[in-house]
Amino acid sequence: MNVLCTGGAGYVGSACLRRLLRAGHEPVAYDNLSTGNRDAVPNGRLVVGDILDRESIESTLRDYRIDAVMHFAALASVPVSIADPRSYWLTNVVGTKTVLDAMVACDVRLILFSSTAATYAFASDMPLTESSPQDPQVPYGTTKLTAERLIHDYSRAYGLGYTFLRYFNASGADPDGNYGEARSSESHLIPLIFRVATGRREKLTVYGNDWPTKDGTCIRDYVHTDDLAHAHQLVLESLEPAMARAYNVGSGSGSSVLEVIAACESVIGRTIPFEYAERRPGDPAILIASPEKLERELGWRREYAEMSRIVETAWAWHRTHPDGYTELRQ
Ligand SMILES: NC(=O)c1ccc[n+]([C@@H]2O[C@H](COP(=O)([O-])OP(=O)(O)OC[C@H]3O[C@@H](n4cnc5c(N)ncnc54)[C@H](O)[C@@H]3O)[C@@H](O)[C@H]2O)c1
């Protein structure tokens, strides 16, 4: 299939581009390079454009005879969304609406949407299933849930087939060293740990040691980007117009911040200095996904089941690309 990947120059999008190419599809990245990297796009098929630019999306959909859209492009930092919700509503909601309008105009009827654990209510029982209550507590989650509802309404009115993939913590890197996490401003735990390990940061900050968890730090569910990309392939190949689906993409178990630090220390062979700070607003204590529906309905299986393997691939990337992709070095 010819697949338009908005945000294809980003971390998860570029992993999916590689997977699609290996599976014989023809992906095209569409990205404004605000946080993404030109060098992350494996086949050089990148249209530099903004998801707020409807004309540019429409001409890309037509030029490349697109069959399906994978909509990764978004702003995705919880703390920044609290400080500046305006840009989050614009990119994540108006941007998604613009993509949908262009799809309807060009009769492209299949969309996979990168949604998030942040759409779920904080106090839910773990692990979260797709029918757990959704009640986001931060603008990032609110804008993503609003985008889900927009897509649902467009599906009913215009016959689009959609699947929401609600990721938990995307992590790891390409075992062959072709992609990894490389943002100029980073907020994710594992790349932050490796910034300390490679001397680009003095120490790590751990937000809260008084959470109601086994060691007092937050628990999250980590899933390797290759496994995430495999889920996208399975969803794409089973998606049809007018279909309406949602899947969690996670592991079914969680690791605390201290456990992730320990896993990284054991892979790199030295200790990571850290300090505790106050809890951050918008952080729930525990987020764990049930992947049962994705496994049962689409036969998804994780290749990277152990945290140590996820961390090994991430460390191999950060060790060899301390400054990210080449263009970040210039
Ligand atoms: N990384 C995670 O753990 C995680 C977890 C849950 C959901 N998600 C979702 O997955 C998607 C991808 O996340 P990621 O970690 O790869 O983020 P990322 O920042 O690496 O990638 C986002 C990409 O979108 C592009 N982009 C942003 N605004 C754009 C615009 N207006 N027009 C065109 N391109 C634009 C950026 O340049 C970047 O390449 C996002 O939608 C995010 O909300 C990520």
Side-chain angles (χ1 to χ4, degrees):
M1 292 168 84
N2 294 325
V3 186
L4 184 78
C5 296
T6 72
Y11 172 50
V12 179
S14 63
C16 289
L17 287 173
R18 286 190 164 74
R19 180 88 200 189
L20 292 175
L21 282 169
R22 281 209 305 273
H25 298 291
E26 298 273 359
V28 182
Y30 182 92
D31 200 298
N32 69 358
L33 301 179
S34 55
T35 61
N37 301 285
R38 189 182 288 278
D39 292 345
V41 177
N43 55 352
R45 295 222 302 179
L46 166 69
V47 176
V48 178
D50 200 289
I51 54 165
L52 292 161
D53 182 346
R54 180 166 156 182
E55 261 180 44
S56 165
I57 304 170
E58 282 191 20
S59 60
T60 310
L61 292 174
R62 291 201 176 95
D63 290 351
Y64 290 90
R65 300 174 179 278
I66 294 297
D67 302 302
V69 172
M70 290 191 179
H71 183 32
F72 302 100
L75 300 182
S77 159
V78 168
V80 179
S81 80
I82 296 170
D84 179 23
R86 195 171 38 177
S87 60
Y88 276 67
W89 280 90
L90 184 63
T91 301
N92 296 357
V93 176
V94 182
T96 299
K97 180 180 179 298
T98 310
V99 170
L100 290 169
D101 287 336
M103 289 176 65
V104 171
C106 297
D107 200 27
V108 176
R109 305 228 272 151
L110 304 176
I111 182 165
L112 284 73
F113 176 61
S114 301
S115 191
T116 164
T119 61
Y120 287 113
F122 275 10
S124 305
D125 292 336
M126 298 292 151
L128 294 158
T129 69
E130 291 76 1
S131 49
S132 295
Q134 286 181 288
D135 183 17
Q137 299 298 312
V138 291
Y140 168 58
T142 316
T143 58
K144 283 288 187 173
L145 181 58
T146 307
E148 281 195 5
R149 297 203 163 134
L150 258 177
I151 295 168
H152 178 74
D153 288 350
Y154 271 60
S155 163
R156 278 215 235 166
Y158 310 117
L160 301 187
Y162 72 78
T163 303
F164 306 143
L165 285 148
R166 297 187 189 128
Y167 317 157
F168 284 60
N169 284 51
S171 47
D174 183 7
D176 299 327
N178 292 313
Y179 76 79
E181 238 161 333
R183 303 181 189 88
S184 49
S185 168
E186 190 51 77
S187 63
H188 296 81
L189 178 60
I190 294 174
L192 284 174
I193 292 173
F194 289 142
R195 283 186 181 204
V196 177
T198 51
R200 285 178 305 145
R201 217 182 154 98
E202 197 193 331
K203 57 181 137 169
L204 183 75
T205 304
V206 176
Y207 296 98
N209 59 356
D210 56 352
W211 294 96
T213 59
K214 51 191 164 186
D215 61 21
T217 63
C218 286
I219 292 179
R220 296 289 179 269
D221 184 341
Y222 294 83
V223 60
H224 194 283
T225 36
D226 269 14
D227 289 329
L228 207 47
H230 185 209
H232 284 74
Q233 182 196 342
L234 294 171
V235 164
L236 176 74
E237 292 172 354
S238 57
L239 186 58
E240 289 171 15
M243 202 177 236
R245 301 184 296 188
Y247 293 110
N248 286 342
V249 197
S251 73
S253 64
S255 303
S256 72
V257 175
L258 294 185
E259 286 172 335
V260 175
I261 295 172
C264 292
E265 288 177 335
S266 127
V267 166
I268 63 178
R270 66 191 133 96
T271 53
I272 296 291
F274 68 86
E275 63 184 3
Y276 287 113
E278 292 291 302
R279 293 179 181 190
R280 270 185 316 195
D283 271 344
I286 305 176
L287 281 174
I288 298 174
S290 166
E292 196 267 334
K293 185 177 176 216
L294 186 59
E295 291 172 349
R296 178 171 36 84
E297 293 188 2
L298 299 186
W300 182 68
R301 294 285 176 273
R302 281 176 305 141
E303 196 184 322
Y304 293 85
E306 299 94 32
M307 176 56 81
S308 58
R309 288 200 63 213
I310 293 178
V311 167
E312 276 162 19
T313 60
W315 174 234
W317 164 263
H318 285 279
R319 198 163 36 85
T320 51
H321 300 77
D323 298 313
Y325 292 93
T326 324
E327 66 175 34
L328 288 183
R329 264 180 245 141
Q330 290 165 356

